[in-house]
Amino acid sequence: MENLSFINDLGKIIFFLFLLLSIFLLTAKSERKLPNYLFAVFLLISVVDFSGFFLEPSDNKIINGFKISSVLLQMPLYYLYVNAACYYNFTLRKKHLLHSLPFVIFLIWLGTQGVSEQAGGIFEIVSVLQYYFYIIAVFLTLRTFRKLYQENYSSNHHMTYQWLMQTTILFVIGNVFVLIRGLLKSNETISLYLYAFSSVFVLFVISWLVLNALYRPNLLAGINKDLVPVQSVKETKEEPEALKDLVQFMTIEKPYLDDKLTLQKLSEQMKMSEKQLSILINQQTGKHFFDFINEFRINHSKDLLKDQPQLTVLEILYEVGFNSKSSFYTAFKKETGVTPTDYRKSVV
């Protein structure tokens, strides 16, 4: 009874915290509201699921069917949230209603027929398959997002990628505990402890995700969803002279000082097509656009660290085109093997 009481109280805490976080997301000031709205709905649907911790099953078939079927809305909402977080011009369309089809089917079935052993077994299989289908879809979305921002943007979208990837991996870990709990459900004590642990784990992940989204708004800057990954070319016809012109332009004009420099902007300045410029950089330097631009920024910052000791590291990173301390330190260490501070000590 003590364990059941603990689970009951934990469920109430998670229930009300999720409600508060949902309200917070819906009312928070943000330039991009769609990601917040989608995640708020995700939390509200999760609230319905967590209410099972402390509310008895309803005698009403429709209410009971909705409560059970609502689980099938969670992963589609998370998938749409990831897309909205990655792409600033992502919008909801009528076709996205198809994601709710499994939910509608089971709502009608369970709401009219009730929850039989057969229906419960089929629902469990479908919910597991659906979960991993969307997890794979999220990973594929993030992989494409990573390729696109590396090929087209010089600003640091890696933080968005890393943050969403970490969150998704944590979701998978949480689901593993749920699967283990299902396998050990015959042992009531272990099952209850796993229930409690997985619930606290979910609460931690969700809170971490929401707070990061609200207090680090640059994470949701997003990129253009209409971009297409550049296809690899086995043989390039680009002449080395074109690369020489590009490097000369970068050295003299210093377009990399623009922290919002994109492949499109640079291609316009170079009077080349985006595809030609991307292939030139990829084939001749072996780098993505993101790394190619950062190499110039890092080289410039090395000169400033050496020749202008009166400038702070923070001043230098903004001067050379970076827009965050973490992205500058990551790129600098990747290029030189040391931190900017250590580099300055070694050359001054």
Side-chain angles (χ1 to χ4, degrees):
M1 287 296 292
E2 242 181 80
N3 289 334
L4 287 173
S5 177
F6 172 72
I7 295 293
N8 185 290
D9 292 339
L10 182 61
K12 290 177 182 177
I13 292 170
I14 294 174
F15 180 93
F16 288 110
L17 280 176
F18 273 27
L19 277 179
L20 286 174
L21 288 171
S22 300
I23 295 169
F24 195 21
L25 283 167
L26 291 170
T27 57
K29 291 182 180 179
S30 174
E31 289 185 11
R32 300 188 59 225
K33 293 186 178 296
L34 182 58
N36 285 358
Y37 289 165
L38 284 170
F39 205 76
V41 176
F42 169 82
L43 291 177
L44 290 172
I45 293 298
S46 300
V47 160
V48 175
D49 187 24
F50 278 107
S51 66
F53 280 127
F54 56 91
L55 293 179
E56 293 295 326
S58 173
D59 293 329
N60 187 301
K61 289 181 181 178
I62 295 176
I63 294 175
N64 217 26
F66 174 78
K67 182 180 167 184
I68 294 171
S69 305
S70 65
V71 171
L72 296 174
L73 290 174
Q74 291 177 356
M75 288 310 296
L77 283 167
Y78 181 67
Y79 169 73
L80 293 174
Y81 166 75
V82 168
N83 276 274
C86 289
Y87 303 108
Y88 65 77
N89 53 345
F90 175 83
T91 56
L92 291 178
R93 302 181 183 278
K94 288 182 180 178
K95 66 179 183 180
H96 292 130
L97 290 173
L98 291 173
H99 291 288
S100 66
L101 195 57
F103 160 74
V104 173
I105 292 172
F106 275 94
L107 176 61
I108 295 171
W109 184 10
L110 301 179
T112 55
Q113 303 299 317
V115 185
S116 63
E117 187 176 340
Q118 181 189 22
I122 293 173
F123 175 81
E124 192 171 334
I125 292 171
V126 170
S127 62
V128 170
L129 290 176
Q130 188 219 43
Y131 181 90
Y132 285 101
F133 170 82
Y134 277 102
I135 283 293
I136 292 170
V138 167
F139 281 131
L140 291 175
T141 298
L142 291 175
R143 186 179 71 172
T144 301
F145 169 66
R146 183 171 183 261
K147 185 172 177 61
L148 288 175
Y149 78 70
Q150 286 181 330
E151 289 178 347
N152 295 276
Y153 290 82
S154 65
S155 51
N156 188 35
H157 292 280
H158 177 70
M159 291 173 66
T160 306
Y161 167 80
Q162 189 177 45
W163 172 64
L164 289 172
M165 180 64 76
Q166 288 171 348
T167 303
T168 304
I169 291 171
L170 288 173
F171 274 10
V172 173
I173 293 171
N175 186 256
V176 169
F177 287 117
V178 173
L179 293 177
I180 294 172
R181 189 186 72 211
L183 293 172
L184 299 176
K185 61 184 177 183
S186 57
N187 189 317
E188 188 175 336
T189 303
I190 294 177
S191 181
L192 284 173
Y193 278 122
L194 283 172
Y195 218 115
F197 179 79
S198 58
S199 301
V200 172
F201 184 82
V202 168
L203 178 60
F204 162 76
V205 172
I206 297 297
S207 300
W208 176 68
L209 182 70
V210 171
L211 293 174
N212 269 282
L214 291 174
Y215 291 111
R216 298 167 70 186
N218 287 337
L219 282 173
L220 300 182
I223 66 172
N224 186 350
K225 73 178 181 64
D226 298 323
L227 293 170
V228 178
V230 174
Q231 299 297 317
S232 59
V233 180
K234 291 182 180 179
E235 293 184 11
T236 178
K237 301 295 183 182
E238 295 286 354
E239 299 177 2
E241 191 65 32
L243 180 63
K244 188 186 296 184
D245 291 341
L246 174 60
V247 172
Q248 186 177 32
F249 181 81
M250 295 293 295
T251 305
I252 296 172
E253 300 298 330
K254 297 181 171 56
Y256 56 84
L257 297 180
D258 177 7
D259 66 337
K260 293 182 174 60
L261 182 67
T262 63
L263 182 72
Q264 181 184 15
K265 283 185 181 180
L266 185 59
S267 67
E268 289 171 357
Q269 294 173 23
M270 290 293 299
K271 295 180 173 53
M272 297 175 66
S273 72
E274 292 177 49
K275 185 174 182 180
Q276 282 179 316
L277 180 58
S278 182
I279 291 174
L280 173 63
I281 293 171
N282 290 344
Q283 297 294 320
Q284 297 294 337
T285 71
K287 296 177 183 287
H288 289 294
F289 175 76
F290 177 80
D291 292 323
F292 176 74
I293 298 301
N294 276 352
E295 183 179 4
F296 284 92
R297 289 173 174 167
I298 294 302
N299 287 334
H300 191 175
S301 70
K302 285 161 68 176
D303 291 337
L304 294 179
L305 286 166
K306 179 182 178 182
D307 301 330
Q308 300 196 36
Q310 76 279 8
L311 294 178
T312 66
V313 172
L314 193 62
E315 288 172 327
I316 288 172
L317 75 90
Y318 287 121
E319 174 72 22
V320 300
F322 285 94
N323 52 24
S324 78
K325 186 176 179 179
S326 60
S327 60
F328 174 60
Y329 270 72
T330 299
F332 194 96
K333 192 162 186 179
K334 179 181 178 182
E335 191 72 28
T336 66
V338 295
T339 66
T341 305
D342 289 338
Y343 177 83
R344 170 170 268 174
K345 289 176 181 177
S346 68
V347 295
V348 173

